[in-house]
Amino acid sequence: MLFSSMTFIFIFLPLLFISYFSVKKELRNTVLLIASIIFYAWGEPRYLAIMLLTIVINYLGAVLIDNYRKADKLFLILTVIADLSFLIYFKYFNFILTNVNNIFSLNISALNVVMPIGISFYTFQAMSYLIDVYRKEVKVQKDIYKLSLYICLFPQLVAGPIVKYHDVEEQINNREIDFESISLGVKRFIIGLSKKVLIANTMGAIADKIFIQSPDTFSHLTAWLGAVAYTFQIYFDFSGYSDMAIGLGLIFGFRFMENFNYPYISKSITEFWRRWHISLSTWFKQYVYISLGGNRNGLFATCRNLGIVFLLTGIWHGASWNFIVWGIWHGFFIILEKIYNIKEFEKQKHKIQTEVLMHLYCIFVFVIGWIFFRADNLHYALKYLANMFGILRVCPDDVIFSNWYYLGTFETIAFVAAILCSVPIFKNMLFVKSEIARIGVNVWLLVLFFFSTLFIAVGTYNPFIYFRF
């Protein structure tokens, strides 16, 4: 079930809201847990068992770690192996098999494996809890229903943000809800819905029309148009979903960490990853980078650890070589910036020309990276890049559509909106002090909600990129 669907907005959410606030506080976790299971089973009921089995395995693993501290590392390893086994089988098995066939000239048939929605997200959340218990940073949760609520809480279940157990441990047990937090949650949800439906879907339609063609059938300028359109689509698609998840969390008393902080204003790739998919970045930092030694053992070890983290980041995103190359691409520039000590450089005062050049460098890197992310395969990505930089010969007679085919009035408006909303112009819009300003914001949000639901009702194009991760 999509957040940006009429079923969710006008049936599921109102019924849950009424049910949640109609029962005693002691029963609210139960209502949320049942609703979360229904939410997940709505789309893929056959894979509900995988998520429930993950919960049971991690519940038992954490109890064993806590009760038998002399063998806690063994139980940690066994439980993590079990978690990763589900992830590897459902997400990476056929990719591994294909590469084994290619390397050893074999012809082993692939299996008909369909990846459960959200498996990457809830697996990482389960592992977060397990590792926190092993490190004695949190107490073991002996109530399996509360652990189940943490892992399958519907706002962040299928696409994050990746919530770490130590961040919500107290909120699961006790949380206060007031009108102000509900109001803020509703407003945040509307903002996310608008970003998703009005901007991301519009940009996605442009990008899809271009990326569906062979790169030698459109102009170099069209190639850049497709790249920029997808750059905006993935940001507003994922950040919009995160806004909706954070808003829904506020409505029901949970405060999730921010997942995006205007990443496209960054002046380095290091800064970009402090602002992009923050929950994933911090997860890898806390549970992989620091475990490998972080930056404690010299520059070479630091660069090696960063390389491993970004290789895993690419692999996490998908079972395809283009995702791996995307991770390596970002890792290369992160390491380069580490070698040249970009943090110290960022602290210094620079001329405006230097600031602009750093920003352009960062934009160039992540836009090129998104080509690998969007392309169906590595061959297509390289061919597309060749077109963008004029290396691929394109005959004018072979170009089917001009750029104006992709850019109507509404698409042009959406591009302008995408640019404006990528910078923190409206960052404090929900926290204005003036009564007149608050009324203006509320009216504007109602207008956005009206048009968003109108577009959902009459439109057929409503994909969500991160469902496949």
Side-chain angles (χ1 to χ4, degrees), residues 197 199-213 226 229-230 233 374 405-406 410-411 461-463:
V197 175
I199 300 180
N201 285 2
T202 306
M203 296 295 103
I206 296 171
D208 284 358
K209 288 176 183 177
I210 296 172
F211 276 88
I212 202 173
Q213 304 174 56
Y230 184 72
Q233 180 196 4
R374 172 59 179 81
Y405 167 77
Y406 308 100
F410 182 76
E411 288 78 10
Y461 184 85
N462 191 25

Side-chain angles (χ1 to χ4, degrees), residues 19 21 119 147 218 234 249 251 260 267 299 320 346 355 367 396 450 454:
S19 302
F21 288 101
I119 190 171
L147 181 64
F218 48 79
I234 193 168
I251 291 171
F260 291 88
K267 299 181 183 65
L299 182 61
S320 174
E346 288 174 342
E355 298 279 338
V367 169
F450 172 78
L454 181 65

